[in-house]
Amino acid sequence: MITRTEVDGIPALVAPTTGPMHAGLVFRVGHADEPLARRGITHLIEHLALFSFGVADYHYNGTTGVEHTFFHMQGAEDDIVAFLHGVCAGLHDLPMHRLATEKEILRTEENGHGESAADALALWRHGARDHGMPGYPEWGLTGLTPDDLRAWTARYFNRQNAALWIAGPGVPAGLELKLPEGTRRPVPTPSSALPVRPAYFVGGSDVVAWDAVVERGQSTAVFADLLKRSLFRSLRQESGLSYNVHTEYTPRAGGRALLTAVADSLPEKQDAVLGGFVDVLAAARLGRFDPAEVATVVGRRREELARAEEAGGRLPGQVFNLLDGRPVQSLDEVLAELDTVTRDSVAAVAAAACADGLLMTPGRGEADGAGYTAAPTGSEQAVEGTTYPALGDPEIRLTTGETGLTLAREDSMATVLFAECSAVLQWPDGARRFVGHDAIHVQVEPALFLNGPELVAALDARTLPELRVPMPARGPDRIPRPPAPTPAERPPNAVERMVIRAIRRVRGR
């Protein structure tokens, strides 16, 4: 039974557990709050706040998610009290002497993760803002200063923006949460980079993935499980095309939820996997669910919720609800909602999800014939201004104007408006990458344009300081150069001019 209380003015949820005692301190801040130019700041603060614990005899961790960041610990009551006191002390006085080292640790961590299908879907769905941030590297780390971290901590890691959960008999004796006063910060409204849905884009050759944003609830959670079962039957059991098939149901603020489905593929089987995946979604869109299977999934979910209640596993989600201004639900209330799930309610969720769906196809797979529209890979309009043809390739043209810049090729065009720019990456050799809110970017290489340094200087003058992201130096082999002119294009040297004049005299010219 979840009960609500307070610790030093911070709302807390407490529930008994059959397992070891554990607790979590949650803050309403995550990747979605970060501007692209500061990407990674929340994760960095999480690492710095935990530095003082080093190697401990108990299990502890910190997690930075899309909408929330939390610090979690499992152990004895005294250890939990010491841990939460230490987290608050670490946030109050971040160990800035560790700044450079922790930045390197985070870069190493990121390098080991690689890009996931979920990250790619987030970028293509939301662009270079809010819920699209997981799709981008932590570019902001390089330029972050101690003042940046202190300002972010004061804004988000405060008493009014925090909540606590405790899985155990009650609040441990002596627990204090010394956090500064502040303001509750709502989750940013998710942006969209998709003019039309359902949509698709081309990803890697080894996976098919799909997501949709729909109304959260038990019917949606049941649909996620039914979709997994259908994909597993079709792609693994019946056709042997995939090994790893899974789905995920992730509640969001604002009464919404993110559904994700992924199936792996061999390169030579990618067309077949894509076809089978799309067929399963099409059947779901038409509401082809067996009522008996719906009942089976509902029964299994009842058992999972009961086990989670016993272990305190429901507490984090309920604390997230509390921070998002949603009611805290008892197990009985959740089960009562689950009892209302029917084949028809699941079919309604499936139809809404398929209408909102974003599909990542493998390799060069296309999904136009299945009712999906290709997501934009370029811009439809160019800015007006001065045009600079690329040296050695007049088909490439860079246009800069008062409102933004456009890089055009023979068959494509990318435009970033200054008023809709999320970040500008800046390399020491002068290269610049302007990233628009819609994730379209324009790369400016000064060596490829006449008077390139002057062009970059003019663009820098239009760039807001808060959008600038310093990048590490590139090796000489990674800096683009204009193609060497062919003999017909290259002007003759002095010796060649003498030979030409001699030939002309012989020919009477």
Side-chain angles (χ1 to χ4, degrees), residues 428-447:
D429 57 73
R432 300 291 184 262
R433 181 184 300 172
F434 290 75
V435 183
H437 291 340
D438 57 2
I440 302 297
H441 71 264
V442 171
Q443 183 85 9
V444 180
E445 296 286 351

Side-chain angles (χ1 to χ4, degrees), residues 74 90 158-159 368 425 471:
Q74 177 179 300
N158 58 66
R159 189 185 310 274
D368 302 80
L425 311 188
M471 302 298 288

Side-chain angles (χ1 to χ4, degrees), residues 181-207:
E181 299 296 319
T183 304
R184 176 70 57 81
R185 300 292 177 178
V187 175
T189 301
S191 56
S192 176
L194 299 174
V196 178
R197 294 182 300 275
Y200 80 93
F201 67 96
V202 178
S205 62
D206 59 348
V207 68

Side-chain angles (χ1 to χ4, degrees), residues 162-505:
L164 174 72
W165 87 74
I166 299 172
V171 177
L175 178 61
E176 296 179 342
L177 300 177
K178 295 182 179 180
L179 292 170
E181 299 296 319
T183 304
R184 176 70 57 81
R185 300 292 177 178
V187 175
T189 301
S191 56
S192 176
L194 299 174
V196 178
R197 294 182 300 275
Y200 80 93
F201 67 96
V202 178
S205 62
D206 59 348
V207 68
V208 178
W210 171 91
D211 75 3
V213 179
V214 292
E215 185 176 353
R216 66 190 286 184
Q218 292 305 313
S219 291
T220 305
V222 169
F223 168 62
D225 201 350
L226 288 167
L227 181 60
K228 176 182 177 180
R229 293 161 70 99
S230 296
L231 288 169
F232 186 86
R233 275 196 303 268
S234 173
L235 299 178
R236 178 166 173 172
Q237 290 185 316
E238 297 173 2
S239 61
L241 293 171
S242 291
Y243 171 75
N244 184 21
V245 177
H246 69 272
T247 61
E248 189 169 348
Y249 165 73
T250 307
R252 282 184 173 180
R256 309 296 284 171
L258 177 68
L259 293 178
T260 308
V262 179
D264 59 4
S265 168
L266 291 172
E268 64 269 21
K269 299 291 183 65
Q270 61 188 32
D271 290 341
V273 173
L274 175 60
F277 199 108
V278 169
D279 287 345
V280 169
L281 288 174
R285 178 176 57 83
L286 296 174
R288 295 175 180 171
F289 299 104
D290 182 352
E293 188 171 26
V294 173
T296 297
V297 171
V298 168
R300 286 184 55 184
R301 185 156 178 80
R302 289 182 67 90
E303 296 172 359
E304 291 169 358
L305 287 167
R307 288 195 297 268
E309 180 80 357
E310 292 177 359
R314 293 186 59 246
L315 282 169
Q318 295 306 307
V319 168
F320 295 164
N321 282 347
L322 191 151
L323 279 174
D324 297 334
R326 292 177 58 84
V328 175
Q329 289 184 300
S330 68
L331 177 61
D332 289 341
E333 289 172 327
V334 176
L335 294 179
E337 180 186 347
L338 189 58
D339 287 339
T340 67
V341 175
T342 64
R343 187 190 70 83
D344 289 343
S345 69
V346 172
V349 170
C354 290
D356 185 74
L358 175 62
L359 182 67
M360 184 174 82
T361 67
R364 297 183 178 276
E366 297 182 352
D368 302 80
Y372 294 82
T373 301
T377 57
S379 305
E380 295 184 354
Q381 294 184 335
V383 301
E384 296 182 355
T386 305
T387 297
Y388 304 85
L391 296 173
D393 191 349
E395 295 298 329
I396 300 177
R397 304 173 305 281
L398 176 67
T399 301
T400 64
E402 291 297 315
T403 59
L405 66 167
T406 297
L407 186 65
R409 293 178 170 83
E410 185 177 4
D411 57 353
S412 64
M413 178 171 60
T415 295
V416 176
L417 302 178
F418 295 132
E420 299 177 10
C421 183
S422 291
V424 181
L425 311 188
Q426 299 183 328
W427 283 268
D429 57 73
R432 300 291 184 262
R433 181 184 300 172
F434 290 75
V435 183
H437 291 340
D438 57 2
I440 302 297
H441 71 264
V442 171
Q443 183 85 9
V444 180
E445 296 286 351
L448 299 184
F449 297 94
L450 188 64
N451 298 323
E454 291 81 357
L455 170 61
V456 168
L459 290 172
D460 285 350
R462 301 294 305 269
T463 301
L464 297 175
E466 61 268 25
L467 298 182
R468 297 172 182 170
V469 181
M471 302 298 288
R474 302 185 293 181
D477 59 327
R478 301 194 64 185
I479 299 176
R481 302 293 181 189
T486 64
E489 297 171 336
R490 179 176 55 81
N493 57 35
V495 174
E496 291 169 334
R497 287 197 296 271
M498 292 175 59
V499 173
I500 291 172
R501 285 197 295 269
I503 293 173
R504 286 175 175 171
R505 284 196 296 270

Side-chain angles (χ1 to χ4, degrees), residues 20-74:
M21 188 175 188
H22 56 98
L25 182 60
V26 186
F27 296 90
R28 218 308 300 142
V29 59
H31 305 311
D33 299 276
E34 300 173 345
L36 182 56
R38 294 293 180 267
R39 175 81 174 92
I41 186 171
T42 312
H43 194 187
L44 178 58
I45 289 172
E46 173 225 308
H47 269 233
L48 289 169
L50 292 175
F51 165 70
S52 65
F53 294 99
V55 179
D57 295 329
Y58 47 77
H59 173 74
Y60 72 91
N61 199 6
T63 299
T64 302
V66 178
E67 297 182 346
H68 304 90
T69 296
F70 63 88
F71 302 90
H72 174 260
M73 189 262 163
Q74 177 179 300

